[in-house]
Amino acid sequence: MEFKRSDFPEGFIFGAATAAYQIEGHKFGGAGPTHWDTFAATPGNVVRQEDGALACDHYHRYAEDLDLLQAAGMDGYRFSTSWARVMPEGRGAVNEEGLDYYDRLVDAMLERGLQPFQTLYHWEMPAALSDLGGWTNRDVASWFGDFTDVITRRLGDRVQATATINEPWCVAFLSHFLGIHAPGHRDIRDTARAMHHVLLAHAEAMERMRANGTKNLGVVLNFDRAVPANDTPGAAQAATLQDGIFNRWYIEAITKGTYPADVLEGLLQYMPKGWEEDLTRINQPMDWLGVNYYTRNHYERDDNISWPHLKLAEGPLPKTQMGWEIYPEGLHYFLTRLAKDYVGDMPIYVTENGMAWGDTVENGAVFDPERMAYVNDHMLATKRAIEDGANVKGFFYWSLLDNYEWAEGYEKRFGMVHVDFETLKRTPKATYHALANALKG
Ligand code: FCB
């Protein structure tokens, strides 16, 4: 690596991130079914119809996994607490076994000097609530508020920071318009509702946590750099609209209490009644912002496609196993843009950044120079953003472990630690060792 710990400001947090359903093994410990279980069981949605029933069995192996973080000299761990594990029906009865598990998990982090960064919703909508419409039902905000209250009353005294929702764009657009993630809807009215209700749920959770004394609250948004595929005015317009749908919709509502006019133009007729009155509530005070960043995409306008008239074009740069262009400059772009246009001095954490590659174990080791370069270049982009005034306080690599990559099943490997999904053996990759080394300096 071309950076070391001391190149970053004092107190900067280096860590790694995971999410409950992707690693825990959902069949253990009395968790209820989620919309991911049923989505995965339906042919055509997920590679090899794989689900998170076993995943990395982190539920039983969490001590070994946290040891790996500690041994690498990491300062923090971003994890999520599954709604369906804590409340199997989504409402009402609490699964004490689930609460006890998260209790042990947080204590195990603290014992290892790892600061716990919790995320409340990383996509495990309990199936019973999905039956009632999930994110398309306005009541989701109060259901989520109740879950938030239960879990934060239990953990809030020990976690360092809590985020409400992971990647609202994925929760709403990817899952209700593009149909790629659970619940796999492809409906513009559902989409507009989900885009609004996910923010309402964020607001409700923030209010509930302020009321119960949980400290240091934020949200995790994802940002994709959208650029025109060519120099036609149509392509420029397409890239701007995509930036609105993916990036501005959420950050603008949360930090300014407005929705971007260019996106509203396409969605207005599908918005739920009374949305305007909710915006002041959505504009909650926050303590920090989480930024997930992976790639950039190229857009053209295609009038043969209905709103938003977007067509993706191939980009020129090298790509990861996901087919995502490697574009570290985009991380610098967003960190500085967010500071300047939206959050000012509010602390920003890079809560996810990383790459998938077809890693293999050879002679007991994994050599992943592509990932080392990816991490190096994104860390340097972060450092430049700090020099240019963004108040970035930490960086969490996605992900600690190879895991259940949603619609891609177990095929796409993002981990800095390799997992053999037959034996569940963990093998730290060269990136892990290189990071551990950089953190010593
Ligand atoms: C993000 C998700 C995370 C993982 C990475 C690759 O969108 O938050 O769970 O799937 O992408």
Side-chain angles (χ1 to χ4, degrees):
M1 299 287 176
E2 292 159 21
F3 69 90
K4 49 187 182 325
R5 179 186 283 281
S6 55
D7 295 337
F8 285 79
E10 186 75 33
F12 191 86
I13 293 172
F14 294 89
T18 63
Y21 190 81
Q22 294 180 274
I23 61 167
E24 285 177 353
H26 198 72
K27 67 179 175 186
F28 302 118
T34 78
H35 65 181
W36 267 100
D37 301 302
T38 44
F39 182 74
T42 313
N45 287 336
V46 175
V47 172
R48 296 184 294 257
Q49 296 181 51
E50 287 166 341
D51 59 28
L54 175 61
C56 307
D57 190 19
H58 178 75
Y59 188 81
H60 297 107
R61 298 167 193 246
Y62 67 88
E64 174 190 350
D65 294 336
L66 297 180
D67 285 347
L68 285 166
L69 285 165
Q70 185 186 26
M74 298 275 168
D75 314 295
Y77 177 47
R78 176 172 175 245
F79 69 111
S80 77
T81 45
S82 163
W83 186 349
R85 180 176 294 294
V86 173
M87 299 170 99
E89 293 286 313
R91 302 182 284 181
V94 169
N95 172 29
E96 289 301 331
E97 213 177 325
L99 274 183
D100 290 347
Y101 164 67
Y102 288 124
D103 215 50
R104 293 196 298 279
L105 185 68
V106 167
D107 284 344
M109 290 176 217
L110 295 174
E111 280 159 22
R112 291 165 178 78
L114 298 165
Q115 297 182 36
F117 277 65
Q118 181 186 10
T119 300
L120 296 171
Y121 185 78
H122 204 129
W123 306 354
E124 301 92 355
M125 174 64 68
L129 299 183
S130 204
D131 293 345
L132 302 176
W135 290 107
T136 67
N137 186 333
R138 185 182 173 88
D139 293 342
V140 71
S142 64
W143 303 332
F144 183 60
D146 291 345
F147 159 62
T148 297
D149 198 42
V150 168
I151 185 74
T152 57
R153 277 181 193 278
R154 186 67 176 259
L155 304 181
D157 58 331
R158 280 158 296 150
V159 300
Q160 171 66 26
T162 305
T164 53
I165 289 170
N166 180 69
E167 301 190 345
W169 177 83
C170 292
V171 171
F173 206 86
L174 186 68
S175 310
H176 295 82
F177 193 83
L178 301 175
I180 294 173
H181 277 190
H185 295 193
R186 289 176 41 72
D187 184 279
I188 196 168
R189 184 176 158 95
D190 283 358
T191 305
R193 276 142 211 276
M195 284 168 76
H196 185 63
H197 295 151
V198 72
L199 290 166
L200 200 59
H202 158 77
E204 173 100 22
M206 293 296 270
E207 289 167 357
R208 301 289 288 261
M209 290 192 284
R210 297 238 184 259
N212 75 19
T214 308
K215 299 270 179 323
N216 204 15
L217 313 180
V219 66
V220 172
L221 307 182
N222 51 332
F223 296 91
D224 245 29
R225 184 79 175 101
V227 294
N230 53 52
D231 49 19
T232 62
Q237 188 263 357
T240 304
L241 181 56
Q242 168 65 13
D243 183 67
I245 295 171
F246 200 111
N247 303 317
R248 282 181 280 119
W249 180 268
Y250 304 98
I251 188 68
E252 194 178 307
I254 283 174
T255 61
K256 300 186 201 292
T258 52
Y259 283 141
D262 53 350
V263 183
L264 258 187
E265 204 182 305
L267 291 181
L268 193 56
Q269 57 181 310
Y270 309 111
M271 292 293 284
K273 275 208 188 71
W275 62 270
E276 297 92 334
E277 284 88 79
D278 294 330
L279 279 166
T280 355
R281 245 186 105 196
I282 289 171
N283 179 21
Q284 290 281 324
M286 283 206 306
D287 303 304
W288 60 277
L289 173 70
V291 172
N292 292 357
Y293 171 79
Y294 289 94
T295 191
R296 88 172 165 177
N297 279 297
H298 299 255
Y299 290 91
E300 292 173 58
R301 182 182 166 104
D302 185 342
D303 285 307
N304 296 317
I305 305 172
S306 50
W307 187 90
H309 317 293
L310 294 176
K311 197 169 135 195
L312 262 176
E314 173 97 18
L317 299 178
K319 309 201 173 50
T320 71
Q321 191 193 20
M322 295 291 277
W324 295 350
E325 251 196 339
I326 301 175
Y327 185 62
E329 182 50 37
L331 181 55
H332 174 269
Y333 167 85
F334 279 117
L335 294 173
T336 49
R337 174 182 169 192
L338 288 164
K340 185 165 139 298
D341 295 345
Y342 296 98
V343 300
D345 256 355
M346 183 194 292
I348 300 176
Y349 292 89
V350 177
T351 33
E352 282 183 32
N353 173 254
M355 72 173 267
W357 201 251
D359 308 303
T360 50
V361 182
E362 268 152 54
N363 302 321
V366 180
F367 184 54
D368 58 343
E370 299 81 5
R371 184 176 290 103
M372 277 154 74
Y374 184 103
V375 174
N376 181 66
D377 296 348
H378 287 83
M379 287 300 315
L380 294 182
T382 304
K383 183 169 173 280
R384 274 191 293 117
I386 296 172
E387 286 156 7
D388 293 338
N391 188 19
V392 188
K393 295 287 198 196
F395 184 104
F396 294 82
Y397 177 75
W398 182 273
S399 181
L400 171 62
L401 304 170
D402 292 342
N403 60 43
Y404 180 64
E405 180 42 42
W406 308 111
E408 304 293 334
Y410 292 94
E411 195 149 283
K412 303 288 193 279
R413 296 181 174 274
F414 275 93
M416 55 185 200
V417 173
H418 180 276
V419 176
D420 178 325
F421 291 107
E422 299 285 309
T423 62
L424 296 176
K425 183 175 164 38
R426 276 72 163 145
T427 307
K429 303 178 188 176
T431 296
Y432 169 97
H433 295 296
L435 254 174
N437 208 31
L439 295 188
K440 286 184 191 137

